[in-house]
mmCIF file of all heavy atoms in Angstrom:
data_model
loop_
_atom_site.group_PDB
_atom_site.id
_atom_site.type_symbol
_atom_site.label_atom_id
_atom_site.label_comp_id
_atom_site.label_asym_id
_atom_site.label_seq_id
_atom_site.Cartn_x
_atom_site.Cartn_y
_atom_site.Cartn_z
ATOM 1 N N ALA L 443 13.717 2.214 -30.576
ATOM 2 C CA ALA L 443 13.454 0.994 -29.808
ATOM 3 C C ALA L 443 14.509 0.807 -28.720
ATOM 4 O O ALA L 443 14.242 0.173 -27.698
ATOM 5 C CB ALA L 443 13.416 -0.205 -30.737
ATOM 6 N N LYS L 444 15.701 1.352 -28.932
ATOM 7 C CA LYS L 444 16.736 1.272 -27.893
ATOM 8 C C LYS L 444 16.379 2.228 -26.749
ATOM 9 O O LYS L 444 16.612 1.931 -25.574
ATOM 10 C CB LYS L 444 18.111 1.615 -28.470
ATOM 11 C CG LYS L 444 18.643 0.509 -29.349
ATOM 12 C CD LYS L 444 20.173 0.448 -29.328
ATOM 13 C CE LYS L 444 20.678 -0.755 -30.092
ATOM 14 N NZ LYS L 444 20.717 -0.514 -31.562
ATOM 15 N N ILE L 445 15.801 3.377 -27.106
ATOM 16 C CA ILE L 445 15.411 4.352 -26.067
ATOM 17 C C ILE L 445 14.230 3.804 -25.274
ATOM 18 O O ILE L 445 14.182 3.891 -24.055
ATOM 19 C CB ILE L 445 15.037 5.714 -26.730
ATOM 20 C CG1 ILE L 445 16.250 6.299 -27.454
ATOM 21 C CG2 ILE L 445 14.481 6.689 -25.698
ATOM 22 C CD1 ILE L 445 15.944 7.493 -28.343
ATOM 23 N N LEU L 446 13.263 3.217 -25.993
ATOM 24 C CA LEU L 446 12.047 2.702 -25.349
ATOM 25 C C LEU L 446 11.772 1.270 -25.776
ATOM 26 O O LEU L 446 11.033 1.031 -26.732
ATOM 27 C CB LEU L 446 10.853 3.582 -25.750
ATOM 28 C CG LEU L 446 10.550 4.770 -24.862
ATOM 29 C CD1 LEU L 446 9.329 5.493 -25.394
ATOM 30 C CD2 LEU L 446 10.306 4.371 -23.421
ATOM 31 N N PRO L 447 12.357 0.308 -25.088
ATOM 32 C CA PRO L 447 12.158 -1.085 -25.519
ATOM 33 C C PRO L 447 10.744 -1.619 -25.272
ATOM 34 O O PRO L 447 10.378 -2.646 -25.830
ATOM 35 C CB PRO L 447 13.191 -1.860 -24.710
ATOM 36 C CG PRO L 447 13.670 -0.953 -23.640
ATOM 37 C CD PRO L 447 13.261 0.437 -23.948
ATOM 38 N N GLY L 448 9.947 -0.949 -24.425
ATOM 39 C CA GLY L 448 8.575 -1.403 -24.166
ATOM 40 C C GLY L 448 8.540 -2.690 -23.374
ATOM 41 O O GLY L 448 9.528 -3.065 -22.736
ATOM 42 N N VAL L 449 7.406 -3.376 -23.389
ATOM 43 C CA VAL L 449 7.240 -4.594 -22.594
ATOM 44 C C VAL L 449 7.988 -5.747 -23.269
ATOM 45 O O VAL L 449 8.914 -6.322 -22.713
ATOM 46 C CB VAL L 449 5.752 -4.933 -22.397
ATOM 47 C CG1 VAL L 449 5.595 -6.190 -21.568
ATOM 48 C CG2 VAL L 449 5.022 -3.772 -21.718
ATOM 49 N N LYS L 450 7.600 -6.087 -24.526
ATOM 50 C CA LYS L 450 8.394 -7.060 -25.298
ATOM 51 C C LYS L 450 9.270 -6.285 -26.267
ATOM 52 O O LYS L 450 10.473 -6.344 -26.211
ATOM 53 C CB LYS L 450 7.468 -7.989 -26.077
ATOM 54 C CG LYS L 450 7.045 -9.196 -25.290
ATOM 55 C CD LYS L 450 6.516 -10.295 -26.187
ATOM 56 C CE LYS L 450 5.877 -11.384 -25.341
ATOM 57 N NZ LYS L 450 4.653 -10.883 -24.660
ATOM 58 N N SER L 451 8.588 -5.558 -27.148
ATOM 59 C CA SER L 451 9.264 -4.626 -28.059
ATOM 60 C C SER L 451 8.181 -3.678 -28.546
ATOM 61 O O SER L 451 6.997 -3.999 -28.451
ATOM 62 C CB SER L 451 9.908 -5.395 -29.211
ATOM 63 O OG SER L 451 8.916 -5.944 -30.024
ATOM 64 N N PRO L 452 8.543 -2.509 -29.053
ATOM 65 C CA PRO L 452 7.489 -1.570 -29.470
ATOM 66 C C PRO L 452 6.709 -2.079 -30.687
ATOM 67 O O PRO L 452 7.228 -2.904 -31.442
ATOM 68 C CB PRO L 452 8.266 -0.292 -29.815
ATOM 69 C CG PRO L 452 9.699 -0.610 -29.736
ATOM 70 C CD PRO L 452 9.888 -2.001 -29.236
ATOM 71 N N THR L 453 5.478 -1.607 -30.822
ATOM 72 C CA THR L 453 4.686 -1.898 -32.032
ATOM 73 C C THR L 453 5.037 -0.846 -33.071
ATOM 74 O O THR L 453 5.003 0.355 -32.766
ATOM 75 C CB THR L 453 3.178 -1.782 -31.708
ATOM 76 O OG1 THR L 453 2.910 -2.639 -30.618
ATOM 77 C CG2 THR L 453 2.308 -2.121 -32.892
ATOM 78 N N ILE L 454 5.371 -1.281 -34.286
ATOM 79 C CA ILE L 454 5.696 -0.342 -35.357
ATOM 80 C C ILE L 454 4.697 -0.542 -36.498
ATOM 81 O O ILE L 454 4.511 -1.670 -36.962
ATOM 82 C CB ILE L 454 7.135 -0.585 -35.904
ATOM 83 C CG1 ILE L 454 8.167 -0.700 -34.770
ATOM 84 C CG2 ILE L 454 7.531 0.484 -36.922
ATOM 85 C CD1 ILE L 454 8.410 0.568 -33.995
ATOM 86 N N LEU L 455 4.061 0.538 -36.908
ATOM 87 C CA LEU L 455 3.107 0.442 -38.026
ATOM 88 C C LEU L 455 3.532 1.439 -39.106
ATOM 89 O O LEU L 455 4.009 2.533 -38.772
ATOM 90 C CB LEU L 455 1.695 0.792 -37.544
ATOM 91 C CG LEU L 455 1.112 -0.081 -36.441
ATOM 92 C CD1 LEU L 455 -0.142 0.569 -35.867
ATOM 93 C CD2 LEU L 455 0.785 -1.460 -36.992
ATOM 94 N N PRO L 456 3.353 1.066 -40.376
ATOM 95 C CA PRO L 456 3.734 2.025 -41.428
ATOM 96 C C PRO L 456 2.705 3.152 -41.545
ATOM 97 O O PRO L 456 1.512 2.918 -41.339
ATOM 98 C CB PRO L 456 3.736 1.167 -42.699
ATOM 99 C CG PRO L 456 2.860 0.004 -42.385
ATOM 100 C CD PRO L 456 2.840 -0.200 -40.908
ATOM 101 N N LEU L 457 3.148 4.349 -41.823
ATOM 102 C CA LEU L 457 2.205 5.438 -42.115
ATOM 103 C C LEU L 457 1.985 5.454 -43.634
ATOM 104 O O LEU L 457 2.796 4.898 -44.387
ATOM 105 C CB LEU L 457 2.797 6.781 -41.688
ATOM 106 C CG LEU L 457 2.940 7.067 -40.210
ATOM 107 C CD1 LEU L 457 3.229 8.557 -40.013
ATOM 108 C CD2 LEU L 457 1.675 6.706 -39.452
ATOM 109 N N GLN L 458 0.909 6.127 -44.049
ATOM 110 C CA GLN L 458 0.656 6.193 -45.487
ATOM 111 C C GLN L 458 1.783 6.969 -46.175
ATOM 112 O O GLN L 458 2.174 6.666 -47.282
ATOM 113 C CB GLN L 458 -0.700 6.860 -45.716
ATOM 114 C CG GLN L 458 -1.204 6.619 -47.107
ATOM 115 C CD GLN L 458 -2.475 7.385 -47.355
ATOM 116 O OE1 GLN L 458 -2.745 8.411 -46.711
ATOM 117 N NE2 GLN L 458 -3.265 6.926 -48.278
ATOM 118 N N GLN L 459 2.311 7.958 -45.438
ATOM 119 C CA GLN L 459 3.387 8.762 -46.015
ATOM 120 C C GLN L 459 4.680 7.939 -46.062
ATOM 121 O O GLN L 459 5.135 7.438 -45.034
ATOM 122 C CB GLN L 459 3.591 10.019 -45.166
ATOM 123 C CG GLN L 459 4.554 10.986 -45.787
ATOM 124 C CD GLN L 459 4.697 12.241 -44.935
ATOM 125 O OE1 GLN L 459 3.797 12.608 -44.169
ATOM 126 N NE2 GLN L 459 5.825 12.897 -45.037
ATOM 127 N N GLU L 460 5.233 7.803 -47.235
ATOM 128 C CA GLU L 460 6.440 6.986 -47.475
ATOM 129 C C GLU L 460 7.562 7.340 -46.490
ATOM 130 O O GLU L 460 7.833 8.518 -46.249
ATOM 131 C CB GLU L 460 6.906 7.260 -48.921
ATOM 132 C CG GLU L 460 8.073 6.453 -49.372
ATOM 133 C CD GLU L 460 7.630 5.228 -50.183
ATOM 134 O OE1 GLU L 460 6.442 5.141 -50.552
ATOM 135 O OE2 GLU L 460 8.477 4.381 -50.417
ATOM 136 N N GLY L 461 8.207 6.336 -45.936
ATOM 137 C CA GLY L 461 9.386 6.561 -45.087
ATOM 138 C C GLY L 461 9.053 6.896 -43.639
ATOM 139 O O GLY L 461 9.943 7.109 -42.825
ATOM 140 N N TRP L 462 7.747 6.973 -43.313
ATOM 141 C CA TRP L 462 7.358 7.315 -41.934
ATOM 142 C C TRP L 462 6.653 6.136 -41.257
ATOM 143 O O TRP L 462 5.925 5.383 -41.891
ATOM 144 C CB TRP L 462 6.437 8.537 -41.912
ATOM 145 C CG TRP L 462 7.250 9.801 -42.004
ATOM 146 C CD1 TRP L 462 7.770 10.329 -43.151
ATOM 147 C CD2 TRP L 462 7.658 10.637 -40.919
ATOM 148 N NE1 TRP L 462 8.489 11.456 -42.862
ATOM 149 C CE2 TRP L 462 8.433 11.677 -41.494
ATOM 150 C CE3 TRP L 462 7.462 10.629 -39.543
ATOM 151 C CZ2 TRP L 462 9.005 12.686 -40.721
ATOM 152 C CZ3 TRP L 462 8.023 11.629 -38.782
ATOM 153 C CH2 TRP L 462 8.787 12.649 -39.354
ATOM 154 N N CYS L 463 6.915 6.002 -39.948
ATOM 155 C CA CYS L 463 6.321 4.920 -39.167
ATOM 156 C C CYS L 463 5.633 5.497 -37.941
ATOM 157 O O CYS L 463 5.939 6.611 -37.507
ATOM 158 C CB CYS L 463 7.408 3.964 -38.677
ATOM 159 S SG CYS L 463 8.029 2.905 -39.974
ATOM 160 N N SER L 464 4.729 4.694 -37.382
ATOM 161 C CA SER L 464 4.120 5.061 -36.099
ATOM 162 C C SER L 464 4.627 4.044 -35.070
ATOM 163 O O SER L 464 4.668 2.846 -35.344
ATOM 164 C CB SER L 464 2.599 4.990 -36.249
ATOM 165 O OG SER L 464 2.015 4.909 -34.981
ATOM 166 N N MET L 465 5.040 4.546 -33.914
ATOM 167 C CA MET L 465 5.529 3.629 -32.883
ATOM 168 C C MET L 465 4.624 3.735 -31.660
ATOM 169 O O MET L 465 4.265 4.831 -31.227
ATOM 170 C CB MET L 465 6.969 4.003 -32.515
ATOM 171 C CG MET L 465 7.542 3.158 -31.410
ATOM 172 S SD MET L 465 9.355 3.279 -31.380
ATOM 173 C CE MET L 465 9.630 3.615 -29.669
ATOM 174 N N HIS L 466 4.233 2.586 -31.083
ATOM 175 C CA HIS L 466 3.390 2.531 -29.881
ATOM 176 C C HIS L 466 4.178 1.801 -28.803
ATOM 177 O O HIS L 466 4.680 0.711 -29.053
ATOM 178 C CB HIS L 466 2.109 1.724 -30.118
ATOM 179 C CG HIS L 466 1.244 2.249 -31.211
ATOM 180 N ND1 HIS L 466 -0.075 1.924 -31.315
ATOM 181 C CD2 HIS L 466 1.506 3.085 -32.248
ATOM 182 C CE1 HIS L 466 -0.594 2.521 -32.370
ATOM 183 N NE2 HIS L 466 0.350 3.225 -32.963
ATOM 184 N N VAL L 467 4.223 2.357 -27.627
ATOM 185 C CA VAL L 467 5.023 1.698 -26.588
ATOM 186 C C VAL L 467 4.537 2.115 -25.191
ATOM 187 O O VAL L 467 4.000 3.211 -25.023
ATOM 188 C CB VAL L 467 6.526 2.009 -26.836
ATOM 189 C CG1 VAL L 467 6.845 3.466 -26.605
ATOM 190 C CG2 VAL L 467 7.435 1.128 -26.021
ATOM 191 N N VAL L 468 4.708 1.229 -24.221
ATOM 192 C CA VAL L 468 4.335 1.529 -22.835
ATOM 193 C C VAL L 468 5.562 2.064 -22.105
ATOM 194 O O VAL L 468 6.649 1.537 -22.259
ATOM 195 C CB VAL L 468 3.808 0.248 -22.136
ATOM 196 C CG1 VAL L 468 3.628 0.465 -20.646
ATOM 197 C CG2 VAL L 468 2.493 -0.184 -22.764
ATOM 198 N N VAL L 469 5.348 3.125 -21.320
ATOM 199 C CA VAL L 469 6.476 3.734 -20.614
ATOM 200 C C VAL L 469 6.054 4.128 -19.202
ATOM 201 O O VAL L 469 4.906 4.496 -18.976
ATOM 202 C CB VAL L 469 7.016 4.955 -21.418
ATOM 203 C CG1 VAL L 469 5.949 5.998 -21.657
ATOM 204 C CG2 VAL L 469 8.207 5.606 -20.732
ATOM 205 N N SER L 470 6.991 4.065 -18.287
ATOM 206 C CA SER L 470 6.678 4.478 -16.922
ATOM 207 C C SER L 470 6.646 6.007 -16.850
ATOM 208 O O SER L 470 7.475 6.691 -17.463
ATOM 209 C CB SER L 470 7.731 3.889 -15.978
ATOM 210 O OG SER L 470 8.166 4.862 -15.094
ATOM 211 N N GLU L 471 5.693 6.532 -16.097
ATOM 212 C CA GLU L 471 5.505 7.981 -16.019
ATOM 213 C C GLU L 471 6.773 8.691 -15.525
ATOM 214 O O GLU L 471 7.077 9.790 -15.955
ATOM 215 C CB GLU L 471 4.325 8.282 -15.086
ATOM 216 C CG GLU L 471 3.888 9.714 -15.168
ATOM 217 C CD GLU L 471 2.504 9.941 -14.613
ATOM 218 O OE1 GLU L 471 1.992 9.063 -13.895
ATOM 219 O OE2 GLU L 471 1.940 11.004 -14.912
ATOM 220 N N ASN L 472 7.515 8.027 -14.641
ATOM 221 C CA ASN L 472 8.751 8.629 -14.093
ATOM 222 C C ASN L 472 9.766 8.966 -15.167
ATOM 223 O O ASN L 472 10.503 9.919 -15.052
ATOM 224 C CB ASN L 472 9.465 7.639 -13.146
ATOM 225 C CG ASN L 472 8.621 7.317 -11.966
ATOM 226 O OD1 ASN L 472 7.758 8.102 -11.604
ATOM 227 N ND2 ASN L 472 8.859 6.155 -11.373
ATOM 228 N N GLU L 473 9.801 8.100 -16.222
ATOM 229 C CA GLU L 473 10.824 8.315 -17.243
ATOM 230 C C GLU L 473 10.282 9.080 -18.442
ATOM 231 O O GLU L 473 11.020 9.358 -19.372
ATOM 232 C CB GLU L 473 11.355 6.997 -17.802
ATOM 233 C CG GLU L 473 11.291 5.788 -16.941
ATOM 234 C CD GLU L 473 11.890 4.582 -17.674
ATOM 235 O OE1 GLU L 473 11.189 3.992 -18.525
ATOM 236 O OE2 GLU L 473 13.047 4.291 -17.399
ATOM 237 N N LEU L 474 8.979 9.380 -18.398
ATOM 238 C CA LEU L 474 8.297 9.898 -19.581
ATOM 239 C C LEU L 474 9.014 11.076 -20.252
ATOM 240 O O LEU L 474 9.363 11.011 -21.425
ATOM 241 C CB LEU L 474 6.864 10.277 -19.203
ATOM 242 C CG LEU L 474 6.000 10.756 -20.343
ATOM 243 C CD1 LEU L 474 5.676 9.598 -21.267
ATOM 244 C CD2 LEU L 474 4.705 11.353 -19.821
ATOM 245 N N TRP L 475 9.245 12.150 -19.495
ATOM 246 C CA TRP L 475 9.752 13.376 -20.127
ATOM 247 C C TRP L 475 11.165 13.206 -20.666
ATOM 248 O O TRP L 475 11.476 13.676 -21.761
ATOM 249 C CB TRP L 475 9.635 14.570 -19.173
ATOM 250 C CG TRP L 475 8.201 14.951 -18.995
ATOM 251 C CD1 TRP L 475 7.428 14.771 -17.887
ATOM 252 C CD2 TRP L 475 7.335 15.518 -19.992
ATOM 253 N NE1 TRP L 475 6.139 15.181 -18.125
ATOM 254 C CE2 TRP L 475 6.051 15.657 -19.403
ATOM 255 C CE3 TRP L 475 7.503 15.923 -21.316
ATOM 256 C CZ2 TRP L 475 4.958 16.180 -20.086
ATOM 257 C CZ3 TRP L 475 6.414 16.460 -22.004
ATOM 258 C CH2 TRP L 475 5.155 16.571 -21.392
ATOM 259 N N GLY L 476 11.989 12.484 -19.935
ATOM 260 C CA GLY L 476 13.363 12.223 -20.385
ATOM 261 C C GLY L 476 13.347 11.472 -21.708
ATOM 262 O O GLY L 476 14.069 11.817 -22.661
ATOM 263 N N LYS L 477 12.485 10.456 -21.791
ATOM 264 C CA LYS L 477 12.400 9.639 -23.011
ATOM 265 C C LYS L 477 11.886 10.477 -24.180
ATOM 266 O O LYS L 477 12.353 10.343 -25.304
ATOM 267 C CB LYS L 477 11.461 8.438 -22.783
ATOM 268 C CG LYS L 477 11.944 7.483 -21.717
ATOM 269 C CD LYS L 477 13.122 6.669 -22.163
ATOM 270 C CE LYS L 477 13.494 5.632 -21.129
ATOM 271 N NZ LYS L 477 14.710 4.908 -21.451
ATOM 272 N N ILE L 478 10.909 11.351 -23.904
ATOM 273 C CA ILE L 478 10.348 12.180 -24.973
ATOM 274 C C ILE L 478 11.436 13.082 -25.569
ATOM 275 O O ILE L 478 11.547 13.223 -26.789
ATOM 276 C CB ILE L 478 9.125 12.984 -24.465
ATOM 277 C CG1 ILE L 478 7.952 12.018 -24.296
ATOM 278 C CG2 ILE L 478 8.760 14.119 -25.418
ATOM 279 C CD1 ILE L 478 6.672 12.636 -23.773
ATOM 280 N N GLU L 479 12.274 13.646 -24.687
ATOM 281 C CA GLU L 479 13.376 14.494 -25.183
ATOM 282 C C GLU L 479 14.260 13.691 -26.143
ATOM 283 O O GLU L 479 14.592 14.147 -27.228
ATOM 284 C CB GLU L 479 14.243 15.019 -24.015
ATOM 285 C CG GLU L 479 13.531 15.950 -23.026
ATOM 286 C CD GLU L 479 12.872 17.142 -23.693
ATOM 287 O OE1 GLU L 479 13.377 17.592 -24.749
ATOM 288 O OE2 GLU L 479 11.832 17.618 -23.182
ATOM 289 N N SER L 480 14.630 12.475 -25.703
ATOM 290 C CA SER L 480 15.521 11.648 -26.541
ATOM 291 C C SER L 480 14.850 11.295 -27.862
ATOM 292 O O SER L 480 15.499 11.296 -28.914
ATOM 293 C CB SER L 480 15.892 10.345 -25.842
ATOM 294 O OG SER L 480 16.270 10.587 -24.527
ATOM 295 N N LEU L 481 13.544 10.983 -27.808
ATOM 296 C CA LEU L 481 12.844 10.587 -29.027
ATOM 297 C C LEU L 481 12.736 11.764 -30.000
ATOM 298 O O LEU L 481 12.893 11.596 -31.208
ATOM 299 C CB LEU L 481 11.449 10.057 -28.679
ATOM 300 C CG LEU L 481 11.470 8.716 -27.936
ATOM 301 C CD1 LEU L 481 10.131 8.449 -27.259
ATOM 302 C CD2 LEU L 481 11.800 7.571 -28.904
ATOM 303 N N LYS L 482 12.495 12.949 -29.453
ATOM 304 C CA LYS L 482 12.410 14.141 -30.321
ATOM 305 C C LYS L 482 13.747 14.370 -31.028
ATOM 306 O O LYS L 482 13.796 14.747 -32.181
ATOM 307 C CB LYS L 482 12.035 15.370 -29.489
ATOM 308 C CG LYS L 482 10.515 15.486 -29.301
ATOM 309 C CD LYS L 482 10.147 16.479 -28.225
ATOM 310 C CE LYS L 482 10.681 17.861 -28.505
ATOM 311 N NZ LYS L 482 9.687 18.762 -29.020
ATOM 312 N N SER L 483 14.825 14.123 -30.277
ATOM 313 C CA SER L 483 16.153 14.388 -30.851
ATOM 314 C C SER L 483 16.480 13.437 -32.005
ATOM 315 O O SER L 483 17.354 13.737 -32.804
ATOM 316 C CB SER L 483 17.224 14.332 -29.766
ATOM 317 O OG SER L 483 17.457 12.989 -29.424
ATOM 318 N N ILE L 484 15.784 12.304 -32.114
ATOM 319 C CA ILE L 484 16.034 11.434 -33.283
ATOM 320 C C ILE L 484 14.905 11.560 -34.326
ATOM 321 O O ILE L 484 14.769 10.723 -35.204
ATOM 322 C CB ILE L 484 16.250 9.957 -32.877
ATOM 323 C CG1 ILE L 484 15.027 9.381 -32.137
ATOM 324 C CG2 ILE L 484 17.506 9.789 -32.032
ATOM 325 C CD1 ILE L 484 14.995 7.877 -32.120
ATOM 326 N N GLY L 485 14.061 12.560 -34.166
ATOM 327 C CA GLY L 485 13.089 12.869 -35.223
ATOM 328 C C GLY L 485 11.644 12.496 -34.945
ATOM 329 O O GLY L 485 10.800 12.594 -35.826
ATOM 330 N N ALA L 486 11.320 12.063 -33.715
ATOM 331 C CA ALA L 486 9.924 11.711 -33.410
ATOM 332 C C ALA L 486 9.062 12.972 -33.377
ATOM 333 O O ALA L 486 9.514 14.032 -32.934
ATOM 334 C CB ALA L 486 9.845 10.978 -32.079
ATOM 335 N N GLU L 487 7.847 12.851 -33.902
ATOM 336 C CA GLU L 487 6.901 13.979 -33.939
ATOM 337 C C GLU L 487 5.524 13.504 -33.520
ATOM 338 O O GLU L 487 5.289 12.300 -33.421
ATOM 339 C CB GLU L 487 6.779 14.507 -35.384
ATOM 340 C CG GLU L 487 8.036 15.134 -35.913
ATOM 341 C CD GLU L 487 7.876 15.530 -37.384
ATOM 342 O OE1 GLU L 487 6.770 15.344 -37.938
ATOM 343 O OE2 GLU L 487 8.862 16.017 -37.952
#
Side-chain angles (χ1 to χ4, degrees):
K444 287 210 174 81
I445 297 170
L446 270 181
V449 180
K450 272 198 190 67
S451 68
T453 305
I454 312 293
L455 300 168
L457 290 193
Q458 196 185 25
Q459 187 178 335
E460 184 98 11
W462 278 80
C463 285
S464 161
M465 177 162 131
H466 301 199
V467 68
V468 171
V469 58
S470 134
E471 192 162 16
N472 297 336
E473 334 181 281
L474 183 70
W475 289 109
K477 297 287 186 186
I478 287 179
E479 296 305 330
S480 313
L481 291 163
K482 275 166 58 102
S483 75
I484 60 161
E487 294 175 2

